[in-house]
């Protein structure tokens, strides 16, 4: 099996960038995680409504602390205020489904410009698929793969075992591969992919 923790060559990064742009995605290249963080913060006006997806990549960039702080309107904060209240589940779904900006990551991007996102609960899917007016995806170049077959292998053989450990430690429950979203193009031009020349996340 391919080592999915390794970064790819700059030729592969360039091919992936061209493929994504040909399919309507906006693409930025960051040399490291600090530059990636700066790019994200430059794209989101102070005071804007932001939803941050649960993401090891975002944690490594220390973006949740910034975007869920006082300079922005944190939908994650409003979402978590209702957590555990059975009579507020519908309100939680509403808050987590529509945003001005959503920031997250992905599981894999193919050189053909396809993006794979998976979810155990489905909570981030609405914003990713439709609800966010602006979707910003921060992606280490270790997540670039040749094709969708490799993307699924990356998810099942590399990511899932690591995420399962994290989920049990963080939430006390195992993870699962429940729902997959595959972007093959962005007809609305609402998605920006920031490719980072480092290994980030799983």
């Amino acid at each position: 099996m391919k080592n999915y923790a390794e970064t790819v060559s700059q030729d592969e990064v360039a091919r992936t960038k061209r493929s994504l742009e040909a399919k309507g995605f906006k693409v930025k290249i960051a040399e490291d995680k600090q530059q990636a963080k700066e790019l994200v913060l430059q794209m989101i006006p102070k005071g804007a409504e932001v939803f941050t997806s649960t993401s090891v990549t975002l944690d490594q960039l220390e973006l949740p602390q910034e975007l869920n702080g006082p300079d922005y309107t944190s939908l994650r904060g409003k979402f978590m205020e209702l957590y555990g209240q059975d009579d507020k589940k519908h309100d939680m779904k509403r808050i987590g489904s529509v945003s001005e900006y959503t920031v997250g990551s992905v599981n894999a991007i193919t050189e053909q410009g396809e993006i794979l996102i998976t979810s155990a609960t489905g909570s981030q899917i609405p914003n990713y698929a439709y609800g966010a007016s602006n979707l910003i995806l921060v992606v280490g170049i270790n997540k670039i793969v040749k094709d969708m077959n490799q993307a699924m292998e990356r998810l099942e053989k590399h990511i899932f075992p690591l995420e399962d450990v994290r989920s049990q430690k963080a939430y006390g429950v195992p993870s699962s591969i429940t729902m997959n979203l595959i972007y093959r193009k962005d007809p609305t031009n609402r998605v920006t992919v920031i490719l980072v020349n480092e290994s980030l996340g799983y």
Side-chain angles (χ1 to χ4, degrees), residues 11 17 19 30 36 43 45 58 64 69-70 78 93 138 145 187:
D11 284 345
K17 181 177 184 291
S19 295
M43 293 175 64
L58 295 194
K78 293 180 179 180
K93 290 179 181 180
V138 185
V145 296

Side-chain angles (χ1 to χ4, degrees), residues 30 32-33 36-37 39-40 55 57-58 61 63 102-106 109 128 135-141 143 192-196 200-201:
D32 54 35
K33 62 184 180 182
K37 180 178 181 179
L39 287 172
V40 172
S55 165
T57 296
L58 295 194
L61 271 62
L63 272 168
T102 285
V103 184
S105 191
V106 309
I109 298 181
Y128 275 50
L135 176 60
I136 303 171
L137 300 173
V138 185
V139 186
I141 61 170
K143 296 184 178 182
T192 299
V193 179
I194 299 177
L195 296 174
V196 189
L200 293 173

Side-chain angles (χ1 to χ4, degrees), residues 16 19 108-115 144-148 151:
T16 303
S19 295
I109 298 181
T110 73
E111 290 182 34
Q112 290 78 41
E114 300 166 311
I115 300 174
I144 293 175
V145 296
K146 181 179 179 181
D147 53 30
M148 192 52 63

Side-chain angles (χ1 to χ4, degrees), residues 174-193:
S175 187
S176 65
I177 299 172
T178 307
M179 305 175 199
N180 290 328
L181 170 66
I182 298 175
Y183 257 111
R184 289 197 163 91
K185 61 180 179 178
D186 177 21
T188 61
N189 204 228
R190 55 185 276 277
V191 183
T192 299
V193 179

